[in-house]
Amino acid sequence: MMKEKTALFILTALLFCGCHSDQYYQNQAVERARKFLLQNTGDFNAAQINFVRFNPPVLLHAPVLGNLTERSSPLNLAHEQHQVCVTWIVPEKDDLYMVFGVSSARMADWQPNRIIKRSYRRNVAVIPQAAAKCVDYARENFFSQMDPEAINLVRFTMPSLYQGKFGLNLDPAGKADSAALEALRKEAAGKKQYALVWKLPGKNLVFAGLGEAGFKNWNIVMAGFFTDSELTGKLGMELMTSADYTKAFPAEKENPPAAVPANKVEEKK
């Protein structure tokens, strides 16, 4: 009887103490990357050091034999070894700071190997700032409803950007009078609707809002969870994928060149 109780106690201890979630392992890997970066980079000022200390990175994944720049969701990684770069876009730096390491999908065995700097045009990247705004909103309103894997996806990956086609409620509190509501409608008519979308297991986390052409001065108007079928007719063209997070807004997609009339083509010939 005593042996059975001892065995039960050990089993219970293993269940509660011996297993950790993917979120735990990824958080631990990020902390190792953060420490490695700060210990081995001597060109950060105090503000940049604090940025790395207190802001989540982006996780870039690729198979060991694949392309390092190929990105994928942590949940979709196979069990074989992957290259994982824990990446920060540090303020006032022209390079991405990427802490490289190799591990299995859960990142329990991930260790920092080296720092890679990759240049990009910071002044043209449009997704990171908008994504950070969405993450803050999700932390306040949605994280309590989400499992650790979904939270990790929102925290550590970038969303895709779409043209939005939602019927947005410009006065969700219902406090605007008719004149104020008309003013809101006129203001909205001069803007474009965009939606940032994180693909989560079995659903999507969507942030729709209005901004100026080129995804400028965008603000959240509506946010929520949607299944793929519920998004039918709600999203227009995909303007940028999550892998485009360091790129400029593709104005050519939003405003394609006007088609040349057939008779004009014939005249040129």
Side-chain angles (χ1 to χ4, degrees):
M1 186 67 176
M2 190 63 181
K3 289 182 179 180
E4 291 177 358
K5 288 183 178 179
T6 302
L8 180 60
F9 174 80
I10 293 173
L11 178 60
T12 303
L14 288 172
L15 287 173
F16 283 94
C17 303
C19 258
H20 291 295
S21 67
D22 288 355
Q23 182 183 21
Y24 172 86
Y25 291 122
Q26 289 173 6
N27 286 344
Q28 292 298 305
V30 166
E31 286 305 316
R32 290 193 290 273
R34 181 176 280 119
K35 182 177 180 180
F36 186 85
L37 178 60
L38 293 177
Q39 286 180 341
N40 293 279
T41 303
D43 60 345
F44 287 166
N45 60 31
Q48 291 163 341
I49 290 172
N50 285 332
F51 179 87
V52 173
R53 279 177 176 165
F54 301 117
N55 286 274
V58 175
L59 303 186
L60 307 183
H61 299 260
V64 166
L65 299 179
N67 184 345
L68 179 60
T69 61
E70 179 186 341
R71 302 180 66 250
S72 61
S73 157
L75 294 181
N76 294 331
L77 294 174
H79 293 293
E80 67 269 16
Q81 295 292 96
H82 276 69
Q83 303 170 90
V84 182
C85 284
V86 184
T87 306
W88 278 270
I89 303 177
V90 181
E92 300 179 6
K93 288 293 184 182
D94 295 327
D95 295 325
L96 297 174
Y97 282 74
M98 311 166 71
V99 184
F100 172 86
V102 175
S103 73
S104 58
R106 302 191 73 190
M107 294 184 69
D109 53 341
W110 187 92
Q111 293 293 335
N113 177 275
R114 63 184 180 273
I115 296 171
I116 299 172
K117 294 182 183 179
R118 178 165 295 170
S119 63
Y120 80 106
R121 292 181 59 195
R122 168 180 293 281
N123 62 320
V124 303
V126 295
I127 290 184
Q129 184 175 357
K133 188 183 300 185
C134 295
V135 171
D136 287 342
Y137 187 99
R139 184 178 291 108
E140 292 293 326
N141 298 279
F142 297 132
F143 278 8
S144 62
Q145 309 168 38
M146 297 164 62
D147 60 33
E149 289 77 12
I151 291 173
N152 262 6
L153 283 174
V154 175
R155 289 177 63 205
F156 294 134
T157 67
M158 287 287 166
S160 295
L161 176 65
Y162 291 83
Q163 292 175 333
K165 294 185 177 181
F166 292 86
L168 299 179
N169 182 358
L170 301 177
D171 181 30
K175 295 181 178 180
D177 58 25
S178 57
L181 192 55
E182 183 60 25
L184 287 172
R185 286 172 180 156
K186 286 183 179 179
E187 183 183 1
K191 296 183 177 181
K192 292 181 178 289
Q193 186 184 145
Y194 300 97
L196 287 174
V197 180
W198 272 271
K199 187 75 176 177
L200 307 178
K203 59 187 175 183
N204 304 275
L205 181 55
V206 179
F207 296 84
L210 300 172
E212 299 167 15
F215 196 47
K216 297 175 182 176
N217 300 316
W218 177 83
N219 286 301
I220 301 167
V221 177
M222 181 278 301
F225 296 102
F226 294 82
T227 64
D228 289 345
S229 61
E230 288 171 338
L231 286 179
T232 302
K234 301 291 195 306
L235 297 177
M237 179 189 302
E238 184 179 39
L239 298 168
M240 304 180 77
T241 69
S242 58
D244 295 329
Y245 78 107
T246 61
K247 297 180 181 179
F249 181 86
E252 69 282 358
K253 283 188 177 182
E254 185 168 68
N255 300 299
V260 179
N263 61 334
K264 295 293 183 182
V265 174
E266 290 174 3
E267 287 175 13
K268 287 183 179 180
K269 291 181 178 179

